[in-house]
Amino acid sequence: AAAAVAAAAAAVLGGAEADAGEWQRCGGLNHPPCRADEACEACAAPGWECTRINEWHWQCERGPPGDGPAPRPSGEWSPAADWNACGGLSHPCELDAACAQCASRNFECRRYNEWHWQCDRLSGAPEGAPSPPPPPPPPPPPPPSPPPPPSSPPSKMEPQEPKAPQERAEAPAGARQGSERLARATAFFDGCKPSCAWAANVPETRRKGPVQSCGGPVVPGSPQVALEDPHAPNVCGGGGDAKGLVAYDCLSRQPWTASGGGQRYAFAAGWNLPGCCECYQLTFLDAGVDGEGRRCEGCSDYAGELEGETVVVQVISSWGDGGPPRFGLLVPGAGFATFNGVASTGVEPMNGEPLFPDGAWGKDQHALWGKRYRGLEEVAGCAGLPAPVRPGCEWGFSQDGLRGARDAGVAYRRVKCGDHPELHAKSGCLLVEE
């Protein structure tokens, strides 16, 4: 079917000028150049095709894996550490293939999906630390379907692989003195267990922690229960053992704004930041930030809607992919990203029932949450989601929330979580120095 759609698009385009960017609209009833259910612009990037999403929207998307450049030899990429990304569209190689060798002899690069290949322990190899779960993922997102990987232009921020136990990285120079740096910030919600909920990922010098995970699935009229065992496996996949328990994200950590139009608060996934449970103040810029961490105009959908305003976040999932720092705010209805523990697709989630099972809520849940990497486009869609997540979804569109912004540029600085008990009381994690 996809091939037929692509062929139809090519036929309609004929000699049209190749002017639509990656993940940008190229046809459909909502597209002014054509106002028809067809492709009316070609895609500028080689290997990308104008693909039909529905009658209203056609979009430039990456073609089949074979259409792109051949993978670079694995020797051209630095060896990947245990449990780290070694290939996939979210890796710098941007290919659905194993691009890097695994640094450890007892690990091999395994495919999770087109976006993520990861160095996992070989079957039968001696075990050290317990196997961590696969990444939650996004990031972040373009209009209105899958964004490019983190190393690609600006539309997608997608969580990467969980960390295995390791020494905590040093903060970037000046971070602890409150200096500002630039980053991209977007939103997603996958329902997965946070990576900082694994005790091995949080320094032993913490005052309290790791991050709290919660049980599921959630059913109408019953509260979500906090889990005491940090070893419960992630619903989105991976190892762990807690006598049949499965861990999800906690719905009590939805974003909010202090009464009277005060400070915004949210929990976030962080990429290439010092580590778990740290807090940051993000000040929104008047433009986006590119893949090199530099301010840029026109590189994303964001047009400065939140310029000068702030949100304070605590990082409860921490990933590393070697790129610039970025943040993914956990906002229900903003897209699942790579992994999905929220609603059943028939093959997801991997380790148990979804957070909101169809049988309990009486609807095709997956269809109600919008595009996988973009989520809902209007606040009206929040009314169709389960009642427990509507407040967080509506915050994503409200005047005192995100106002529908995606892929915003921010200046960020480290702040003390101890000064924001609103956050660490919900996460259950606070570092000694905080």
Side-chain angles (χ1 to χ4, degrees), residues 236-258:
C236 295
D241 180 18
K243 301 178 176 62
L245 295 175
V246 176
Y248 303 76
D249 200 357
C250 298
L251 299 180
S252 60
R253 292 195 287 257
Q254 296 179 64
W256 78 99
T257 300

Side-chain angles (χ1 to χ4, degrees), residues 383-410:
L385 300 186
V389 296
R390 288 176 197 163
C393 178
E394 292 167 357
W395 183 91
F397 294 95
S398 69
Q399 184 68 18
D400 62 357
L402 284 186
R403 301 177 193 167
R406 296 285 190 273
D407 224 11
V410 297

Side-chain angles (χ1 to χ4, degrees), residues 1 40 284 308-309 332 349 359 375 409 411 419 430 434:
C40 54
F284 291 95
E309 302 191 38
D419 293 339
L430 182 64
E434 302 288 284

Side-chain angles (χ1 to χ4, degrees), residues 3-15:
V5 170
V12 173
L13 286 168

Side-chain angles (χ1 to χ4, degrees), residues 3-397:
V5 170
V12 173
L13 286 168
E17 181 181 357
D19 54 0
E22 297 171 8
W23 310 109
Q24 298 301 305
R25 188 164 51 188
C26 54
L29 297 174
N30 270 346
H31 195 36
C34 53
R35 298 291 187 191
D37 184 14
E38 61 185 30
C40 54
E41 294 181 24
C43 299
W48 290 64
E49 302 170 347
C50 189
T51 303
R52 186 182 191 271
I53 306 301
N54 54 40
E55 69 267 34
W56 300 98
H57 188 79
W58 290 61
Q59 172 174 302
C60 286
E61 295 190 348
R62 192 188 303 274
D67 291 354
R72 284 164 52 182
S74 58
E76 294 189 21
W77 300 103
S78 299
D82 301 351
W83 316 114
N84 279 4
C86 52
L89 300 179
S90 290
H91 186 272
C93 71
E94 301 182 28
L95 294 169
D96 183 12
C99 301
Q101 296 179 344
C102 297
S104 296
R105 183 178 55 184
N106 292 329
F107 282 67
E108 66 177 358
C109 190
R110 290 178 179 168
R111 185 183 193 271
Y112 278 74
N113 54 39
E114 62 187 301
W115 293 97
H116 188 73
W117 291 60
Q118 176 173 303
C119 285
D120 283 352
R121 184 185 294 111
L122 288 165
S123 300
E127 296 195 7
S131 171
S145 114
S151 57
S152 288
S155 294
K156 177 176 184 250
M157 289 174 54
E158 183 175 328
Q160 302 297 310
E161 65 297 330
K163 300 178 183 176
Q166 59 184 27
E167 293 185 6
R168 192 169 177 212
E170 290 297 319
R176 298 194 179 280
Q177 286 70 48
S179 62
E180 292 191 341
R181 294 183 170 205
L182 301 187
R184 293 163 52 197
T186 185
F188 74 101
F189 179 75
D190 56 18
C192 301
K193 176 181 180 178
S195 74
C196 301
W198 296 88
N201 288 343
V202 184
E204 293 184 4
T205 55
R206 59 186 177 267
R207 184 170 299 174
K208 63 176 183 177
V211 167
Q212 180 72 62
S213 60
C214 288
V218 173
V219 296
S222 296
Q224 191 181 27
V225 177
L227 298 183
E228 296 182 0
D229 192 337
H231 302 295
N234 184 352
V235 67
C236 295
D241 180 18
K243 301 178 176 62
L245 295 175
V246 176
Y248 303 76
D249 200 357
C250 298
L251 299 180
S252 60
R253 292 195 287 257
Q254 296 179 64
W256 78 99
T257 300
S259 59
Q263 179 63 61
R264 295 172 175 85
Y265 291 97
F267 293 91
W271 290 262
N272 309 309
L273 295 166
C276 287
C277 303
E278 296 184 340
C279 289
Y280 296 86
Q281 178 177 287
L282 312 184
T283 301
F284 291 95
L285 305 178
D286 62 347
V289 169
D290 65 18
E292 301 298 323
R294 298 172 299 194
R295 180 186 175 281
C296 59
E297 294 185 8
C299 60
S300 74
D301 289 348
Y302 179 68
E305 299 93 327
L306 295 164
E307 180 185 359
E309 302 191 38
T310 64
V311 58
V312 176
V313 304
Q314 185 177 33
V315 172
I316 61 172
S317 282
S318 182
W319 320 109
D321 64 4
R326 55 193 187 278
F327 296 86
L329 278 59
L330 299 174
V331 180
F336 299 144
T338 300
F339 286 85
N340 163 28
V342 175
S344 175
T345 63
V347 295
E348 298 173 300
M350 297 172 65
N351 271 354
E353 284 198 74
L355 188 58
F356 296 106
D358 291 343
W361 295 93
K363 296 179 179 179
D364 178 5
Q365 281 297 305
H366 188 263
L368 299 176
W369 288 76
K371 297 294 182 182
R372 178 153 191 149
Y373 290 95
R374 182 72 181 185
L376 301 172
E377 292 295 323
E378 299 180 351
V379 67
C382 298
L385 300 186
V389 296
R390 288 176 197 163
C393 178
E394 292 167 357
W395 183 91
F397 294 95

